[in-house]
Amino acid sequence: MTDAARISWTKALVVSGLVMYIPANLLPVMTITITGDIEALTVLGGVQELLHSGLPLVAGIVFLASFVIPFLKLAVMCWLLMLHGSTRLCAERAAALRILHQIGTWSMIDIFLLSVLAAVGQLGMLASVRPEPGVLFFAGVLLFTLFAADMYKPQMIWRPVVA
Amino acid sequence: MSSNSPNKEVVDGEVVSSRRARISWAWLFPILALGATGWLFLNNWLSQGPEVTIRFQEAPGIQPGKTDLIYRGVQAGKVMDAHLDRDLGAVVLRVRLKAFARELAREGTDFWIEQPIISLREISGIESIIQGNSIHARIGEGTKVQTEFVGLGAAPLVPLDAPSLVVKLRAAAVPFLGRSTPVFHRGVRVGWVRDKQLDESGDAVAEVVIEEKYTGVLHANSRFWVLPATSLSAGPGSVSLSIPGVEALLYGAVAFDHFGSPTGSVENGQEFALSPDEASARATGAQFQIVFDDAAGLRAGMTRICFRGKPVGVVDSIAVPPVGESVVVTARLEAPFASIATDGSTFTIVRPSITPEGITGLETVVTGAYIDFEPGPAGSVGTKFLGKSVRPLDWNLAEELPGAVRYRLVANSVPALQAGAPVFFRGLQAGHVVSKQPGDEEGAELWISIRKEFQKFVRSDSRFWHVPAASVQAGPGVLDFRFEGIASLWQGGIGFESFGNSTEPVASGEVFALHASRKLAAAVSPAVKISFLDGQGFLAGQTELRYLGLPAGVVEAVRTFPDRVEVTARFYEGFDFLRRDGSEFAVVRPQISIQSVSGLETLVSGVFIVCVPGKGEGYASEFQAIDTSMPELLDQTGFEILLLASSTAIDAGAPVLYNDTQVGEVVEKTLTQDGAQILLRAKIREEFRHLVRESSVFWDATAIDAKVGFFKVQINAPSVVAPAGRVEFFTPEMDSPGVGAGSRFSLLQQRPKSFRRR
């Protein structure tokens, strides 16, 4: 695959991720039912809920991991694509890509946790956790970012663009 | 990339990549993502229906963004926003309906907040305990679209479709009824009370909903009544406690029925009267009035009117006019009976009455007084009647069976006999006393009614007597206490029997004498008069005449003259021979002396007269009683001989022995005509008669036969117990001629020496 094709793929995947990022945050990702109290939570709603429950640290972590970092990843990918072919900040870009790869290893942890929660948290009438359509979009965002980061190779930063 | 290198080497020029112009397949992904997102938002937007605003007085437990709108159990919308209106007078909820629930946003739809109601009458909204309160909706009838609603304050009783038939019940008071009180028709729950309130006229009005499938059972002539929560009813033979059902146990219920054939249909909103109880509901006849002197025990709405014991009507109201001395009772009868309440019908208040003559209206002790209704002759239906407060003592007359015949009894007095007293024939009740009234002359007159099957026993010679409530009968060896059944225990009764052989039937209305007792009634012979020196213990109607220890007659009357007592007696059938010339009579009284204890039974039975039949051919009507210390020996039968002695201690009752065997008894001790000698009359039993012969020698054997011998004193005392002394005799020559009755012998002072004891 040529560099140009890779760039094209990366761009498409990043755009897809950005598109998916909107419903992923607008739609509820899960429904928690506790003693009849049905609560459909979006990602930010969940953060708010945690904050109200007096868990600011956990809320902060969830906020970073589920909201900020996916967005940052997409933003970094956009930055990389924008500076593609330029000779500026090559070292920084390579470092950023390396960090993206490393973070990417953990990116599906939210989805993993939710699936565990949905499987374990079935207490009949008293409590239940059910995934909502938003989580599909959320997983989509993560997957697209993951593949986009993988598609954009570090050497492409340094290689001059064949015009 | 690898393919580019050889090209570069061969052709060094501008390379136009044909692929540059082509769009990468990768762009399919963003398109798909966009499509999915777009489809999602579109779908979301399409599923949204119109937004409605609902105003509530209060909205407990409503949370914006969470509380659902439920229609038929399905989530049909969500509360988006809740805020108070400008003047803080109501809560305004904005509810976003779902697209499929779009039709809810139309005129007439009811919204209410479902919250748990747990009361004795109903339990509803249980699910809201767990899920939190929610808004429920019931679709309305209207067609116009509406988005502004006013919510209901409470959940309606019919959560879904509106009820098809609502009627109103009007009553002076509806104490038991309330929301969701069940309505029964013949034991089936067919509806419930929706609401109760007061209308403009101040009457209580209950709105009753009839379930749609049961609307056919309500008719224009149906009558509603209140079923009390529990009712205790007592009637003849049973006391029953009735509970219509568990749900009605606490708050009662309403029942309705159309008595008879159903007529007419019912429209929505039709009004019915609510009766306080079933009997009142049943009495559908026109109201009429009864005027009583006294209304004690009557209660409006409670007192029943009974026809032949069955309640057929009810007293509606009791009015006491301030002037006059009457009470006006307004009453109604059931329809079939209203038509027989013609002019001349009688209405009688029945209250409990317990007297020695009888018990009437005992059931009213439990049920309260009731009014007995007796229809009058055919005619026009009356509207005003004159009622009776006192019921005549005719409680047994109603039992008079067809074919019964009445007779008249005349008596000097009829103690404690009242109408209804039983008439017995050989212990069976053959009829009863119908009435009691003063006779033509002095005395009283009784009318009795004899049942058909006993009529053949009433003959021309039948005798009637008064049966006492209880009687004690004592005779020799007999003590008998008896009473003739519980009915006669109160007042006794009348017995009758035929003592003769007549089979002559008797026509109705025949007059009989009523005797004071059965003994008197049974004594059918002509009367005899017996004079006594002493009348102690004689009791007319009680004192008996006995022959051989058995009753032979009874003293009918005792009259006292200056020097004697004259007893009028009659004999029972078959004892006529006691009236013959020469019959002897003596009175037996209890005697306790050193010599003997006798007449002991007279302690209980009273004195009696012992009779000895005479030998004469004809019958006499007057007798002189004889005076004897041992009168009970008079009627000893046997071969009579007379013993003459100059002096003797032997008295009546002394045994007559032959060879140490008693063969007879001295029955009387008198003097001879000139008084010079003692005359002992002895009776020898028939089977020993042959022992008495001309050669017989009689001696006084009272003295103890003591002999002083050489070594011993021999006391020859066969029987020490002979207080009256003993007479012995011996006949040495058994071939000497026999003697006739009444032969005289002389009584020796002691055993002749010639008759040695063997």
Side-chain angles (χ1 to χ4, degrees), chain B residues 451-481:
Chain B
R451 276 153 56 188
K452 199 175 174 184
E453 60 265 39
F454 287 95
Q455 241 162 274
K456 59 178 179 284
F457 300 113
V458 182
R459 307 205 196 103
S460 57
D461 60 349
S462 288
R463 317 260 300 183
F464 290 79
W465 65 89
H466 175 225
V467 177
S471 66
V472 179
Q473 215 171 29
V478 181
L479 184 61
D480 183 19
F481 175 80

PDB file of all heavy atoms in Angstrom, chain B residues 451-481:
ATOM      1  N   ARG B 451    -111.175 -33.156  66.382  1.00  0.00           N
ATOM      2  CA  ARG B 451    -110.721 -33.440  65.020  1.00  0.00           C
ATOM      3  C   ARG B 451    -111.497 -34.602  64.432  1.00  0.00           C
ATOM      4  O   ARG B 451    -112.032 -35.446  65.127  1.00  0.00           O
ATOM      5  CB  ARG B 451    -109.221 -33.745  65.022  1.00  0.00           C
ATOM      6  CG  ARG B 451    -108.424 -32.472  64.979  1.00  0.00           C
ATOM      7  CD  ARG B 451    -107.096 -32.595  65.597  1.00  0.00           C
ATOM      8  NE  ARG B 451    -106.280 -33.658  65.018  1.00  0.00           N
ATOM      9  CZ  ARG B 451    -105.119 -34.031  65.545  1.00  0.00           C
ATOM     10  NH1 ARG B 451    -104.694 -33.448  66.628  1.00  0.00           N
ATOM     11  NH2 ARG B 451    -104.420 -34.980  64.992  1.00  0.00           N
ATOM     12  N   LYS B 452    -111.491 -34.611  63.117  1.00  0.00           N
ATOM     13  CA  LYS B 452    -112.355 -35.532  62.395  1.00  0.00           C
ATOM     14  C   LYS B 452    -112.116 -36.986  62.796  1.00  0.00           C
ATOM     15  O   LYS B 452    -113.037 -37.750  63.042  1.00  0.00           O
ATOM     16  CB  LYS B 452    -112.072 -35.361  60.896  1.00  0.00           C
ATOM     17  CG  LYS B 452    -113.150 -35.869  59.995  1.00  0.00           C
ATOM     18  CD  LYS B 452    -112.786 -35.525  58.565  1.00  0.00           C
ATOM     19  CE  LYS B 452    -113.759 -36.144  57.593  1.00  0.00           C
ATOM     20  NZ  LYS B 452    -113.367 -35.891  56.217  1.00  0.00           N
ATOM     21  N   GLU B 453    -110.842 -37.359  62.900  1.00  0.00           N
ATOM     22  CA  GLU B 453    -110.550 -38.766  63.135  1.00  0.00           C
ATOM     23  C   GLU B 453    -110.928 -39.223  64.539  1.00  0.00           C
ATOM     24  O   GLU B 453    -110.962 -40.414  64.813  1.00  0.00           O
ATOM     25  CB  GLU B 453    -109.079 -39.062  62.839  1.00  0.00           C
ATOM     26  CG  GLU B 453    -108.077 -38.285  63.668  1.00  0.00           C
ATOM     27  CD  GLU B 453    -107.594 -37.042  62.952  1.00  0.00           C
ATOM     28  OE1 GLU B 453    -108.424 -36.387  62.291  1.00  0.00           O
ATOM     29  OE2 GLU B 453    -106.395 -36.703  63.064  1.00  0.00           O
ATOM     30  N   PHE B 454    -111.189 -38.270  65.424  1.00  0.00           N
ATOM     31  CA  PHE B 454    -111.576 -38.657  66.771  1.00  0.00           C
ATOM     32  C   PHE B 454    -113.091 -38.549  66.983  1.00  0.00           C
ATOM     33  O   PHE B 454    -113.574 -38.822  68.062  1.00  0.00           O
ATOM     34  CB  PHE B 454    -110.860 -37.772  67.796  1.00  0.00           C
ATOM     35  CG  PHE B 454    -109.400 -38.101  67.926  1.00  0.00           C
ATOM     36  CD1 PHE B 454    -108.453 -37.403  67.209  1.00  0.00           C
ATOM     37  CD2 PHE B 454    -108.971 -39.124  68.748  1.00  0.00           C
ATOM     38  CE1 PHE B 454    -107.115 -37.708  67.319  1.00  0.00           C
ATOM     39  CE2 PHE B 454    -107.632 -39.434  68.865  1.00  0.00           C
ATOM     40  CZ  PHE B 454    -106.708 -38.733  68.141  1.00  0.00           C
ATOM     41  N   GLN B 455    -113.781 -38.157  65.936  1.00  0.00           N
ATOM     42  CA  GLN B 455    -115.205 -37.901  66.096  1.00  0.00           C
ATOM     43  C   GLN B 455    -115.969 -39.151  66.478  1.00  0.00           C
ATOM     44  O   GLN B 455    -116.934 -39.099  67.237  1.00  0.00           O
ATOM     45  CB  GLN B 455    -115.755 -37.375  64.780  1.00  0.00           C
ATOM     46  CG  GLN B 455    -116.323 -35.996  64.911  1.00  0.00           C
ATOM     47  CD  GLN B 455    -116.446 -35.383  63.557  1.00  0.00           C
ATOM     48  OE1 GLN B 455    -115.520 -34.803  63.061  1.00  0.00           O
ATOM     49  NE2 GLN B 455    -117.591 -35.550  62.962  1.00  0.00           N
ATOM     50  N   LYS B 456    -115.550 -40.309  65.986  1.00  0.00           N
ATOM     51  CA  LYS B 456    -116.303 -41.525  66.249  1.00  0.00           C
ATOM     52  C   LYS B 456    -116.217 -41.960  67.710  1.00  0.00           C
ATOM     53  O   LYS B 456    -116.978 -42.798  68.153  1.00  0.00           O
ATOM     54  CB  LYS B 456    -115.829 -42.650  65.328  1.00  0.00           C
ATOM     55  CG  LYS B 456    -114.362 -42.994  65.444  1.00  0.00           C
ATOM     56  CD  LYS B 456    -114.061 -44.165  64.513  1.00  0.00           C
ATOM     57  CE  LYS B 456    -112.615 -44.572  64.540  1.00  0.00           C
ATOM     58  NZ  LYS B 456    -111.746 -43.648  63.778  1.00  0.00           N
ATOM     59  N   PHE B 457    -115.261 -41.385  68.431  1.00  0.00           N
ATOM     60  CA  PHE B 457    -115.157 -41.747  69.837  1.00  0.00           C
ATOM     61  C   PHE B 457    -116.064 -40.900  70.721  1.00  0.00           C
ATOM     62  O   PHE B 457    -116.203 -41.170  71.903  1.00  0.00           O
ATOM     63  CB  PHE B 457    -113.711 -41.611  70.307  1.00  0.00           C
ATOM     64  CG  PHE B 457    -112.771 -42.499  69.554  1.00  0.00           C
ATOM     65  CD1 PHE B 457    -111.806 -41.965  68.723  1.00  0.00           C
ATOM     66  CD2 PHE B 457    -112.876 -43.883  69.645  1.00  0.00           C
ATOM     67  CE1 PHE B 457    -110.954 -42.781  68.011  1.00  0.00           C
ATOM     68  CE2 PHE B 457    -112.019 -44.699  68.939  1.00  0.00           C
ATOM     69  CZ  PHE B 457    -111.064 -44.154  68.113  1.00  0.00           C
ATOM     70  N   VAL B 458    -116.606 -39.857  70.158  1.00  0.00           N
ATOM     71  CA  VAL B 458    -117.530 -39.033  70.942  1.00  0.00           C
ATOM     72  C   VAL B 458    -118.925 -39.634  70.768  1.00  0.00           C
ATOM     73  O   VAL B 458    -119.492 -39.593  69.687  1.00  0.00           O
ATOM     74  CB  VAL B 458    -117.503 -37.563  70.461  1.00  0.00           C
ATOM     75  CG1 VAL B 458    -118.428 -36.726  71.309  1.00  0.00           C
ATOM     76  CG2 VAL B 458    -116.107 -37.021  70.487  1.00  0.00           C
ATOM     77  N   ARG B 459    -119.425 -40.262  71.850  1.00  0.00           N
ATOM     78  CA  ARG B 459    -120.725 -40.925  71.771  1.00  0.00           C
ATOM     79  C   ARG B 459    -121.651 -40.295  72.789  1.00  0.00           C
ATOM     80  O   ARG B 459    -121.243 -39.445  73.589  1.00  0.00           O
ATOM     81  CB  ARG B 459    -120.559 -42.422  72.060  1.00  0.00           C
ATOM     82  CG  ARG B 459    -119.503 -43.050  71.175  1.00  0.00           C
ATOM     83  CD  ARG B 459    -119.729 -44.508  71.013  1.00  0.00           C
ATOM     84  NE  ARG B 459    -118.509 -45.134  70.493  1.00  0.00           N
ATOM     85  CZ  ARG B 459    -117.678 -45.825  71.243  1.00  0.00           C
ATOM     86  NH1 ARG B 459    -117.938 -46.002  72.521  1.00  0.00           N
ATOM     87  NH2 ARG B 459    -116.599 -46.349  70.720  1.00  0.00           N
ATOM     88  N   SER B 460    -122.872 -40.780  72.770  1.00  0.00           N
ATOM     89  CA  SER B 460    -123.852 -40.168  73.664  1.00  0.00           C
ATOM     90  C   SER B 460    -123.481 -40.385  75.126  1.00  0.00           C
ATOM     91  O   SER B 460    -123.830 -39.587  75.981  1.00  0.00           O
ATOM     92  CB  SER B 460    -125.236 -40.755  73.387  1.00  0.00           C
ATOM     93  OG  SER B 460    -125.173 -42.164  73.543  1.00  0.00           O
ATOM     94  N   ASP B 461    -122.741 -41.451  75.406  1.00  0.00           N
ATOM     95  CA  ASP B 461    -122.399 -41.690  76.800  1.00  0.00           C
ATOM     96  C   ASP B 461    -120.970 -41.265  77.109  1.00  0.00           C
ATOM     97  O   ASP B 461    -120.402 -41.655  78.118  1.00  0.00           O
ATOM     98  CB  ASP B 461    -122.578 -43.172  77.148  1.00  0.00           C
ATOM     99  CG  ASP B 461    -121.705 -44.059  76.289  1.00  0.00           C
ATOM    100  OD1 ASP B 461    -121.148 -43.531  75.302  1.00  0.00           O
ATOM    101  OD2 ASP B 461    -121.554 -45.242  76.598  1.00  0.00           O
ATOM    102  N   SER B 462    -120.361 -40.512  76.209  1.00  0.00           N
ATOM    103  CA  SER B 462    -119.002 -40.043  76.489  1.00  0.00           C
ATOM    104  C   SER B 462    -119.026 -39.107  77.684  1.00  0.00           C
ATOM    105  O   SER B 462    -119.979 -38.365  77.894  1.00  0.00           O
ATOM    106  CB  SER B 462    -118.438 -39.305  75.271  1.00  0.00           C
ATOM    107  OG  SER B 462    -118.157 -40.215  74.253  1.00  0.00           O
ATOM    108  N   ARG B 463    -117.983 -39.185  78.443  1.00  0.00           N
ATOM    109  CA  ARG B 463    -117.882 -38.327  79.610  1.00  0.00           C
ATOM    110  C   ARG B 463    -116.615 -37.496  79.469  1.00  0.00           C
ATOM    111  O   ARG B 463    -115.561 -38.006  79.102  1.00  0.00           O
ATOM    112  CB  ARG B 463    -117.793 -39.153  80.897  1.00  0.00           C
ATOM    113  CG  ARG B 463    -118.749 -40.330  80.939  1.00  0.00           C
ATOM    114  CD  ARG B 463    -119.975 -40.112  81.727  1.00  0.00           C
ATOM    115  NE  ARG B 463    -119.777 -39.806  83.117  1.00  0.00           N
ATOM    116  CZ  ARG B 463    -120.800 -39.651  83.951  1.00  0.00           C
ATOM    117  NH1 ARG B 463    -122.040 -39.770  83.494  1.00  0.00           N
ATOM    118  NH2 ARG B 463    -120.590 -39.347  85.208  1.00  0.00           N
ATOM    119  N   PHE B 464    -116.738 -36.251  79.789  1.00  0.00           N
ATOM    120  CA  PHE B 464    -115.599 -35.335  79.680  1.00  0.00           C
ATOM    121  C   PHE B 464    -115.154 -34.950  81.075  1.00  0.00           C
ATOM    122  O   PHE B 464    -115.978 -34.801  81.974  1.00  0.00           O
ATOM    123  CB  PHE B 464    -115.981 -34.076  78.898  1.00  0.00           C
ATOM    124  CG  PHE B 464    -116.203 -34.336  77.439  1.00  0.00           C
ATOM    125  CD1 PHE B 464    -117.391 -34.896  76.992  1.00  0.00           C
ATOM    126  CD2 PHE B 464    -115.233 -34.027  76.520  1.00  0.00           C
ATOM    127  CE1 PHE B 464    -117.596 -35.147  75.654  1.00  0.00           C
ATOM    128  CE2 PHE B 464    -115.425 -34.277  75.175  1.00  0.00           C
ATOM    129  CZ  PHE B 464    -116.608 -34.839  74.737  1.00  0.00           C
ATOM    130  N   TRP B 465    -113.885 -34.803  81.227  1.00  0.00           N
ATOM    131  CA  TRP B 465    -113.393 -34.377  82.527  1.00  0.00           C
ATOM    132  C   TRP B 465    -112.207 -33.447  82.333  1.00  0.00           C
ATOM    133  O   TRP B 465    -111.576 -33.401  81.287  1.00  0.00           O
ATOM    134  CB  TRP B 465    -113.020 -35.564  83.399  1.00  0.00           C
ATOM    135  CG  TRP B 465    -111.855 -36.369  82.881  1.00  0.00           C
ATOM    136  CD1 TRP B 465    -110.552 -36.152  83.149  1.00  0.00           C
ATOM    137  CD2 TRP B 465    -111.923 -37.495  82.014  1.00  0.00           C
ATOM    138  NE1 TRP B 465    -109.789 -37.069  82.510  1.00  0.00           N
ATOM    139  CE2 TRP B 465    -110.602 -37.920  81.798  1.00  0.00           C
ATOM    140  CE3 TRP B 465    -112.975 -38.207  81.408  1.00  0.00           C
ATOM    141  CZ2 TRP B 465    -110.298 -39.010  80.992  1.00  0.00           C
ATOM    142  CZ3 TRP B 465    -112.664 -39.281  80.612  1.00  0.00           C
ATOM    143  CH2 TRP B 465    -111.336 -39.680  80.425  1.00  0.00           C
ATOM    144  N   HIS B 466    -111.946 -32.741  83.391  1.00  0.00           N
ATOM    145  CA  HIS B 466    -110.819 -31.813  83.374  1.00  0.00           C
ATOM    146  C   HIS B 466    -109.544 -32.553  83.732  1.00  0.00           C
ATOM    147  O   HIS B 466    -109.489 -33.241  84.749  1.00  0.00           O
ATOM    148  CB  HIS B 466    -111.082 -30.674  84.378  1.00  0.00           C
ATOM    149  CG  HIS B 466    -109.933 -29.742  84.520  1.00  0.00           C
ATOM    150  ND1 HIS B 466    -109.478 -29.305  85.728  1.00  0.00           N
ATOM    151  CD2 HIS B 466    -109.144 -29.174  83.582  1.00  0.00           C
ATOM    152  CE1 HIS B 466    -108.443 -28.500  85.544  1.00  0.00           C
ATOM    153  NE2 HIS B 466    -108.227 -28.401  84.250  1.00  0.00           N
ATOM    154  N   VAL B 467    -108.552 -32.444  82.872  1.00  0.00           N
ATOM    155  CA  VAL B 467    -107.265 -33.060  83.151  1.00  0.00           C
ATOM    156  C   VAL B 467    -106.404 -32.012  83.821  1.00  0.00           C
ATOM    157  O   VAL B 467    -106.132 -30.962  83.246  1.00  0.00           O
ATOM    158  CB  VAL B 467    -106.591 -33.536  81.848  1.00  0.00           C
ATOM    159  CG1 VAL B 467    -105.224 -34.111  82.159  1.00  0.00           C
ATOM    160  CG2 VAL B 467    -107.456 -34.564  81.158  1.00  0.00           C
ATOM    161  N   PRO B 468    -106.018 -32.282  85.045  1.00  0.00           N
ATOM    162  CA  PRO B 468    -105.184 -31.276  85.699  1.00  0.00           C
ATOM    163  C   PRO B 468    -103.807 -31.223  85.055  1.00  0.00           C
ATOM    164  O   PRO B 468    -103.393 -32.152  84.355  1.00  0.00           O
ATOM    165  CB  PRO B 468    -105.106 -31.754  87.146  1.00  0.00           C
ATOM    166  CG  PRO B 468    -105.360 -33.217  87.056  1.00  0.00           C
ATOM    167  CD  PRO B 468    -106.228 -33.463  85.872  1.00  0.00           C
ATOM    168  N   ALA B 469    -103.141 -30.129  85.291  1.00  0.00           N
ATOM    169  CA  ALA B 469    -101.809 -29.962  84.715  1.00  0.00           C
ATOM    170  C   ALA B 469    -100.914 -31.114  85.126  1.00  0.00           C
ATOM    171  O   ALA B 469    -100.183 -31.663  84.322  1.00  0.00           O
ATOM    172  CB  ALA B 469    -101.214 -28.645  85.168  1.00  0.00           C
ATOM    173  N   ALA B 470    -101.014 -31.492  86.375  1.00  0.00           N
ATOM    174  CA  ALA B 470    -100.250 -32.637  86.835  1.00  0.00           C
ATOM    175  C   ALA B 470    -101.057 -33.300  87.932  1.00  0.00           C
ATOM    176  O   ALA B 470    -101.825 -32.660  88.637  1.00  0.00           O
ATOM    177  CB  ALA B 470     -98.897 -32.205  87.382  1.00  0.00           C
ATOM    178  N   SER B 471    -100.933 -34.583  88.053  1.00  0.00           N
ATOM    179  CA  SER B 471    -101.726 -35.258  89.066  1.00  0.00           C
ATOM    180  C   SER B 471    -100.870 -36.277  89.783  1.00  0.00           C
ATOM    181  O   SER B 471     -99.944 -36.836  89.231  1.00  0.00           O
ATOM    182  CB  SER B 471    -102.936 -35.960  88.429  1.00  0.00           C
ATOM    183  OG  SER B 471    -102.497 -36.998  87.592  1.00  0.00           O
ATOM    184  N   VAL B 472    -101.213 -36.462  91.043  1.00  0.00           N
ATOM    185  CA  VAL B 472    -100.557 -37.499  91.833  1.00  0.00           C
ATOM    186  C   VAL B 472    -101.633 -38.498  92.197  1.00  0.00           C
ATOM    187  O   VAL B 472    -102.716 -38.133  92.664  1.00  0.00           O
ATOM    188  CB  VAL B 472     -99.942 -36.911  93.124  1.00  0.00           C
ATOM    189  CG1 VAL B 472     -99.279 -38.010  93.933  1.00  0.00           C
ATOM    190  CG2 VAL B 472     -98.944 -35.835  92.768  1.00  0.00           C
ATOM    191  N   GLN B 473    -101.358 -39.746  91.921  1.00  0.00           N
ATOM    192  CA  GLN B 473    -102.355 -40.754  92.226  1.00  0.00           C
ATOM    193  C   GLN B 473    -101.724 -41.761  93.173  1.00  0.00           C
ATOM    194  O   GLN B 473    -100.625 -42.249  92.923  1.00  0.00           O
ATOM    195  CB  GLN B 473    -102.746 -41.454  90.930  1.00  0.00           C
ATOM    196  CG  GLN B 473    -104.197 -41.834  90.901  1.00  0.00           C
ATOM    197  CD  GLN B 473    -104.576 -42.324  89.536  1.00  0.00           C
ATOM    198  OE1 GLN B 473    -103.757 -42.860  88.816  1.00  0.00           O
ATOM    199  NE2 GLN B 473    -105.832 -42.152  89.180  1.00  0.00           N
ATOM    200  N   ALA B 474    -102.402 -42.018  94.279  1.00  0.00           N
ATOM    201  CA  ALA B 474    -101.857 -42.988  95.213  1.00  0.00           C
ATOM    202  C   ALA B 474    -102.928 -43.999  95.544  1.00  0.00           C
ATOM    203  O   ALA B 474    -104.097 -43.665  95.725  1.00  0.00           O
ATOM    204  CB  ALA B 474    -101.397 -42.296  96.492  1.00  0.00           C
ATOM    205  N   GLY B 475    -102.557 -45.201  95.543  1.00  0.00           N
ATOM    206  CA  GLY B 475    -103.485 -46.262  95.918  1.00  0.00           C
ATOM    207  C   GLY B 475    -102.700 -47.272  96.704  1.00  0.00           C
ATOM    208  O   GLY B 475    -101.525 -47.039  97.026  1.00  0.00           O
ATOM    209  N   PRO B 476    -103.312 -48.391  97.045  1.00  0.00           N
ATOM    210  CA  PRO B 476    -102.554 -49.421  97.763  1.00  0.00           C
ATOM    211  C   PRO B 476    -101.375 -49.862  96.912  1.00  0.00           C
ATOM    212  O   PRO B 476    -101.545 -50.450  95.849  1.00  0.00           O
ATOM    213  CB  PRO B 476    -103.575 -50.545  97.947  1.00  0.00           C
ATOM    214  CG  PRO B 476    -104.904 -49.915  97.712  1.00  0.00           C
ATOM    215  CD  PRO B 476    -104.676 -48.785  96.778  1.00  0.00           C
ATOM    216  N   GLY B 477    -100.214 -49.480  97.321  1.00  0.00           N
ATOM    217  CA  GLY B 477     -99.018 -49.896  96.597  1.00  0.00           C
ATOM    218  C   GLY B 477     -98.755 -49.122  95.331  1.00  0.00           C
ATOM    219  O   GLY B 477     -97.870 -49.481  94.565  1.00  0.00           O
ATOM    220  N   VAL B 478     -99.497 -48.080  95.082  1.00  0.00           N
ATOM    221  CA  VAL B 478     -99.311 -47.353  93.822  1.00  0.00           C
ATOM    222  C   VAL B 478     -99.111 -45.882  94.157  1.00  0.00           C
ATOM    223  O   VAL B 478     -99.853 -45.298  94.930  1.00  0.00           O
ATOM    224  CB  VAL B 478    -100.555 -47.496  92.908  1.00  0.00           C
ATOM    225  CG1 VAL B 478    -100.329 -46.763  91.607  1.00  0.00           C
ATOM    226  CG2 VAL B 478    -100.850 -48.950  92.660  1.00  0.00           C
ATOM    227  N   LEU B 479     -98.100 -45.349  93.628  1.00  0.00           N
ATOM    228  CA  LEU B 479     -97.919 -43.907  93.709  1.00  0.00           C
ATOM    229  C   LEU B 479     -97.580 -43.445  92.306  1.00  0.00           C
ATOM    230  O   LEU B 479     -96.586 -43.861  91.730  1.00  0.00           O
ATOM    231  CB  LEU B 479     -96.798 -43.555  94.681  1.00  0.00           C
ATOM    232  CG  LEU B 479     -96.579 -42.072  94.917  1.00  0.00           C
ATOM    233  CD1 LEU B 479     -97.824 -41.445  95.518  1.00  0.00           C
ATOM    234  CD2 LEU B 479     -95.395 -41.866  95.842  1.00  0.00           C
ATOM    235  N   ASP B 480     -98.424 -42.646  91.745  1.00  0.00           N
ATOM    236  CA  ASP B 480     -98.302 -42.354  90.319  1.00  0.00           C
ATOM    237  C   ASP B 480     -98.351 -40.848  90.122  1.00  0.00           C
ATOM    238  O   ASP B 480     -99.300 -40.184  90.530  1.00  0.00           O
ATOM    239  CB  ASP B 480     -99.469 -43.030  89.573  1.00  0.00           C
ATOM    240  CG  ASP B 480     -99.368 -42.821  88.080  1.00  0.00           C
ATOM    241  OD1 ASP B 480     -98.264 -42.502  87.608  1.00  0.00           O
ATOM    242  OD2 ASP B 480    -100.394 -42.976  87.404  1.00  0.00           O
ATOM    243  N   PHE B 481     -97.326 -40.346  89.520  1.00  0.00           N
ATOM    244  CA  PHE B 481     -97.303 -38.913  89.216  1.00  0.00           C
ATOM    245  C   PHE B 481     -97.310 -38.786  87.706  1.00  0.00           C
ATOM    246  O   PHE B 481     -96.535 -39.414  87.012  1.00  0.00           O
ATOM    247  CB  PHE B 481     -96.039 -38.266  89.789  1.00  0.00           C
ATOM    248  CG  PHE B 481     -95.903 -36.820  89.416  1.00  0.00           C
ATOM    249  CD1 PHE B 481     -96.607 -35.846  90.108  1.00  0.00           C
ATOM    250  CD2 PHE B 481     -95.104 -36.437  88.358  1.00  0.00           C
ATOM    251  CE1 PHE B 481     -96.485 -34.522  89.757  1.00  0.00           C
ATOM    252  CE2 PHE B 481     -94.989 -35.117  87.992  1.00  0.00           C
ATOM    253  CZ  PHE B 481     -95.688 -34.143  88.704  1.00  0.00           C
TER     254      PHE B 481
END
